[in-house]
Amino acid sequence: MKQRLIHIIFLLLVALSAASQTTVKGIVTDGRESLAGVNVFIVGTIDGCLTDSLGRFSFQTSKKGEMTLRATYIGFDDYTLVIADSLPLTSQSLPLITIRMHERAMSIDEVTVTASTYSFGKSENFKTMNALDVVMSGNSCGDIVAALQTLPGTQKVGESGKLYVRGGESDECQTFVNGMHVLVPYSTNVENNAVRGRFSPFLFKGINFSLGGYSGEYGQALSSVLPMETTDVAIGDKFGVSASLVDWNVGGTKAYTKSSLSFNADYISMGLYNALFPDRYDWSRPYRKLSGEAQYKADLSSTSVLKTYVGYDLTSIGQHIDGRSLSLAEHNIYANATLKTNIGRGYNLFAGIANSSVVNNINDALTLGDHYHNFRNEVHLKAEVRKVFSSVLKMSAGAEDYIRNSTKRYETDEYHLDYHLLSTHVDAQVRVVPRLFLNLSARAENASYDGEWLLMPRTTLSYVPNKRFQLSAMVGRYSQTANDDYIAMTGERLAQSTADHAIFSMQYATDNTLLRIEPYYKKYHRLPLLVNGLYTSDGNGMSRGVDVFLENHSLIKNLVTTLSYSFNDSKRFYLDYTSRQTPHFASRHNLRLTLKYGIGKTIIGLAESYASPRHYPTRNTPSYNSLDANITWLVSPKVIVYTSLNNILGRTNIFGYNTDGSAITANRDRFFYIGIFVSLKNNKAYDISNF
């Protein structure tokens, strides 16, 4: 009897509890379709649930009186509804609630427009590459420039090795380190031999290679810019060495409480390699380069960072050619210092100074017994103020000066040139509506030798509905001074060249795939043109095409597949051209397919490169083709062995023709590389960066 009474009391309590609860139900949409997985709950209670696949929710709450209903969903603004005590109940249920959620508008500081830019290192973008990736990329052999040539928009110019972008000359691509200009970013070499970039990939945490359409911050670049950001203050000591058949390296970092000091020394010599694998050339002295770098970085406060860098290269090479002994030596020194600091009220100041000095001395340059001397120097001063005014607007404005001087002495040809380029720029990034972003910028430049001010407006409109998809359209004008030789020959009257860019970009990214398609058009004005033995600004040209980039991580487990394709149609009337024609460095089609597959601690890479024939006055070259392979073996957390072989099939690629009709080829058809990288003092596995 007692147990029956307890049972009856329990049932009564359950019934009273059920009667005292209110059912909350409804549906959640975004105005177009239902949303699954939305968290719907009563504030201040544990009552709630997630919506089902049809966006429906239903739960009970014991809360009485006025209550607050809230819905939260990633990427959407929170929804809040206050339910009044006076609302009528039907069978202890609230009326059906329809919730419409609105996608959260990204702050102007959250959106990253990737149009026409490939980011490497610490980046939110899909395509990333750190220092180790640069070293292990195809047959780059640790050269940043060679690694970047795997991207669409670049053209294979094997006799130069420099970056040629979208039908533009190599000097139309300019390099910046920590926002400061580098006058000569390549090491020197004899004619028809590929040069290398002069900076170690271990120096940088981020590389942003822009193929066009860049903002007003960057000037003196007609086609593209390569901004690179050095690493931050180190938090631990490092020391490492590496060795191969052609280069030897040692470097390290000493970390202090809020600063760090780094050094790196590198020696490259082709002597041993030439002895083991002779090539087509007769060397009087093998290619050698001795270089050293040092950095000091300090966190002066929580909002102030100081970075300094200095690097020096000495390059020498000698060749027996045409009855003379060509002897070349180059000194290249670059140094910069930058400060980033908050100056109050949300304003951030950037200030920097950089100096580039390059000295070239060549004996038997063109004839037996001659001597060529060239000295070039540039001081770059820059200051910029930046501020995020709100979630819909951020702006920057700055001024800079390029102070240049150069001296040339060759036989009876001699000049001394001094001039500077003063410029200002302003940049505004605006969120027009939640998914539409507008970048408006303008740059004004004045060359002291002609006194002309150039105004160059630039605009980018981007539609970013989500993190997977982007559409962008860019138009703008860009300028660049001519070669110092041409300026001196005209008595400092040669105007700056300009180029108008129009680019449309579409990018789609999933967790495993990135697809980017970019058609573009460039129109050149005032290119240097040789008329009756003097250079004028009457040259012109155009370049149009489309770049396609596809990267996939899902075809096979541990396999990364990359496809880069570029179509380019360009015509120019400049320099000594007698008519408008395709420049000799431009090929119509460029294709590169790479495969990278990981097996345990071994990474195998395979790359196929193709470029269609190039145009020369007498005849076109054959197409370019090279099959390359590389293997990376992670021996231990502190030891890496890397080996590569380029042009496995041994094809003799012809890059062009000399005036006598002879073919221009590489000094050797194949190149084999093997290197060992050892970290002697580093707590991070597989980090061979000495900086």
Side-chain angles (χ1 to χ4, degrees):
M1 190 69 177
K2 185 177 180 180
Q3 288 181 344
R4 182 177 296 177
L5 180 61
I6 293 173
H7 185 62
I8 292 172
I9 293 173
F10 176 76
L11 290 176
L12 287 172
L13 290 173
V14 170
L16 287 171
S17 175
S20 65
Q21 289 189 332
T22 301
T23 300
V24 182
K25 58 185 178 181
I27 187 170
V28 181
T29 75
D30 64 356
R32 300 182 303 273
E33 57 186 16
S34 58
L35 297 177
V38 179
N39 186 21
V40 185
F41 60 95
I42 300 298
V43 177
T45 74
I46 60 172
D47 303 328
C49 68
L50 298 178
T51 58
D52 62 18
S53 60
L54 299 177
R56 299 173 303 191
F57 65 91
S58 179
F59 62 90
Q60 291 183 324
T61 179
S62 58
K63 186 171 179 64
K64 296 298 181 182
E66 185 176 274
M67 62 185 77
T68 301
L69 178 74
R70 183 165 295 165
T72 62
Y73 193 50
I74 295 176
F76 287 77
D77 291 327
D78 291 352
Y79 175 91
T80 301
L81 174 66
V82 177
I83 302 174
D85 186 27
S86 59
L87 283 177
L89 300 182
T90 302
S91 300
Q92 293 300 117
S93 295
L94 290 172
L96 188 69
I97 299 172
T98 299
I99 297 175
R100 179 176 177 179
M101 301 194 71
H102 297 277
E103 193 170 355
R104 181 182 297 120
M106 287 184 288
S107 165
I108 193 68
D109 241 13
E110 294 175 322
V111 67
T112 301
V113 176
T114 60
S116 215
T117 298
Y118 290 86
S119 295
F120 302 82
K122 294 184 178 179
S123 168
E124 297 300 321
N125 302 327
F126 185 95
K127 177 66 183 174
T128 61
M129 181 182 288
N130 57 30
L132 182 59
D133 293 323
V134 171
V135 172
M136 312 307 178
S137 174
N139 63 333
S140 68
C141 300
D143 182 22
I144 292 176
V145 173
L148 291 175
Q149 289 173 356
T150 64
L151 296 175
T154 61
Q155 305 213 287
K156 185 65 179 179
V157 186
E159 73 276 23
S160 167
K162 299 179 181 180
L163 283 171
Y164 290 76
V165 176
R166 291 179 172 173
E169 277 271 26
S170 62
D171 60 6
E172 294 178 22
C173 176
Q174 295 295 307
T175 301
F176 296 82
V177 173
N178 294 339
M180 307 307 296
H181 186 242
V182 181
L183 185 62
V184 180
Y186 303 102
S187 60
T188 191
N189 209 330
V190 296
E191 189 176 9
N192 298 329
N193 269 254
V195 301
R196 289 174 60 89
R198 64 179 300 262
F199 294 106
S200 165
F202 305 132
L203 175 66
F204 305 103
K205 69 171 181 179
I207 301 172
N208 293 289
F209 184 35
S210 178
L211 303 176
Y214 28 95
S215 70
E217 178 183 358
Y218 297 109
Q220 288 302 296
L222 280 181
S223 285
S224 61
V225 292
L226 178 59
M228 301 187 288
E229 183 75 17
T230 59
T231 54
D232 296 325
V233 173
I235 59 175
D237 294 347
K238 296 181 180 182
F239 185 73
V241 296
S242 65
S244 74
L245 292 175
V246 297
D247 67 320
W248 297 264
N249 176 279
V250 59
T253 292
K254 178 62 179 177
Y256 303 97
T257 304
K258 292 185 178 181
S259 63
S260 60
L261 180 64
S262 306
F263 79 95
N264 188 63
D266 188 69
Y267 178 65
I268 298 176
S269 174
M270 292 298 297
L272 176 61
Y273 194 93
N274 289 342
L276 295 174
F277 308 102
D279 63 9
R280 297 185 175 95
Y281 289 5
D282 182 9
W283 302 108
S284 61
R285 186 170 67 253
Y287 178 91
R288 297 190 183 104
K289 186 177 82 164
L290 178 64
S291 59
E293 299 170 295
Q295 289 187 94
Y296 176 73
K297 295 163 288 189
D299 291 332
L300 303 180
S301 69
S302 60
T303 59
S304 299
V305 178
L306 172 69
K307 288 185 176 183
T308 63
Y309 167 82
V310 61
Y312 169 73
D313 293 346
L314 170 59
T315 308
S316 65
I317 190 170
Q319 179 188 11
H320 294 300
I321 181 173
D322 298 332
R324 53 194 169 89
S325 295
L326 175 71
S327 178
L328 184 151
E330 180 186 85
H331 302 267
N332 191 334
I333 184 168
Y334 175 75
N336 74 24
T338 62
L339 174 67
K340 292 181 180 179
T341 185
N342 187 298
I343 55 177
R345 297 189 177 183
Y347 287 93
N348 292 291
L349 172 67
F350 171 89
I353 180 172
N355 185 87
S356 299
S357 297
V358 184
V359 182
N360 265 300
N361 287 293
I362 307 175
N363 293 321
D364 287 2
L366 295 176
T367 61
L368 187 65
D370 69 4
H371 178 73
Y372 172 90
H373 170 81
N374 182 224
F375 169 76
R376 298 175 64 193
N377 189 80
E378 176 188 84
V379 177
H380 183 204
L381 305 173
K382 182 178 179 180
E384 186 179 57
V385 176
R386 306 162 183 166
K387 181 177 181 178
V388 178
F389 287 91
S390 68
S391 62
V392 300
L393 174 66
K394 66 177 179 180
M395 295 187 66
S396 63
E400 55 190 326
D401 196 8
Y402 294 84
I403 306 168
R404 294 175 176 174
N405 64 83
S406 60
T407 300
K408 175 183 172 181
R409 291 193 301 270
Y410 179 68
E411 302 298 289
T412 59
D413 184 13
E414 182 175 338
Y415 69 76
H416 183 79
L417 188 64
D418 282 294
Y419 67 94
H420 68 93
L421 295 158
L422 183 65
S423 66
T424 62
H425 72 272
V426 61
D427 186 289
Q429 297 184 53
V430 184
R431 190 186 73 202
V432 182
V433 293
R435 301 179 185 89
L436 193 64
F437 299 87
L438 179 65
N439 180 281
L440 294 171
S441 64
R443 184 178 181 89
E445 286 187 348
N446 172 265
S448 63
Y449 56 78
D450 65 5
E452 178 188 16
W453 277 97
L454 289 177
L455 178 62
M456 292 162 286
R458 304 168 187 180
T459 301
T460 300
L461 183 65
S462 300
Y463 175 63
V464 189
N466 50 58
K467 290 187 176 181
R468 292 192 171 188
F469 186 69
Q470 283 193 24
L471 282 176
S472 296
M474 296 172 285
V475 293
R477 171 159 287 192
Y478 303 84
S479 70
Q480 188 170 348
T481 59
N483 183 287
D484 282 354
D485 287 351
Y486 306 155
I487 296 174
M489 285 179 63
T490 61
E492 302 183 19
R493 292 191 301 270
L494 195 62
Q496 292 198 67
S497 301
T498 62
D500 297 326
H501 293 198
I503 304 168
F504 180 77
S505 176
M506 185 280 288
Q507 176 174 300
Y508 179 74
T510 67
D511 292 339
N512 295 307
T513 303
L514 171 68
L515 173 65
R516 183 183 293 183
I517 302 173
E518 288 191 357
Y520 62 87
Y521 180 80
K522 286 192 292 187
K523 189 171 184 179
Y524 292 93
H525 310 272
R526 308 199 305 184
L527 294 176
L529 178 68
L530 190 61
V531 179
N532 298 324
L534 293 176
Y535 281 100
T536 70
S537 300
D538 298 329
N540 59 75
M542 73 87 189
S543 179
R544 60 189 175 187
V546 61
D547 296 332
V548 179
F549 180 80
L550 176 65
E551 182 170 303
N552 181 272
H553 293 244
S554 62
L555 293 179
I556 301 175
K557 186 178 180 181
N558 299 327
L559 175 69
V560 178
T561 307
T562 304
L563 173 69
S564 298
Y565 169 73
S566 298
F567 167 79
N568 177 259
D569 175 30
S570 58
K571 297 286 190 298
R572 288 193 175 207
F573 181 45
Y574 84 135
L575 299 184
D576 58 353
Y577 285 22
T578 57
S579 63
R580 193 177 173 96
Q581 60 186 266
T582 300
H584 66 84
F585 53 79
S587 49
R588 201 170 182 85
H589 303 278
N590 283 266
L591 175 70
R592 185 173 176 91
L593 175 65
T594 63
L595 305 174
K596 186 167 67 173
Y597 184 68
I599 308 174
K601 294 185 177 181
T602 302
I603 302 170
I604 301 173
L606 197 65
E608 165 64 23
S609 299
Y610 167 84
S612 60
R614 288 159 53 187
H615 174 76
Y616 273 78
T618 55
R619 52 180 164 155
N620 291 342
T621 68
S623 60
Y624 171 90
N625 195 286
S626 179
L627 179 64
D628 312 324
N630 62 85
I631 298 176
T632 304
W633 181 26
L634 308 177
V635 180
S636 75
K638 294 189 176 184
V639 179
I640 298 172
V641 176
Y642 170 77
T643 182
S644 68
L645 176 63
N646 80 305
N647 198 13
I648 296 173
L649 303 179
R651 176 186 173 91
T652 300
N653 287 299
I654 297 176
F655 302 121
Y657 299 98
N658 295 308
T659 54
D660 61 1
S662 59
I664 298 172
T665 64
N667 60 324
R668 50 171 51 88
D669 292 329
R670 295 187 181 94
F671 188 84
F672 174 71
Y673 180 88
I674 182 169
I676 301 174
F677 304 85
V678 182
S679 177
L680 300 176
K681 189 174 184 180
N682 192 351
N683 295 325
K684 186 177 179 181
Y686 304 119
D687 180 7
I688 58 175
S689 168
N690 300 324
F691 286 93

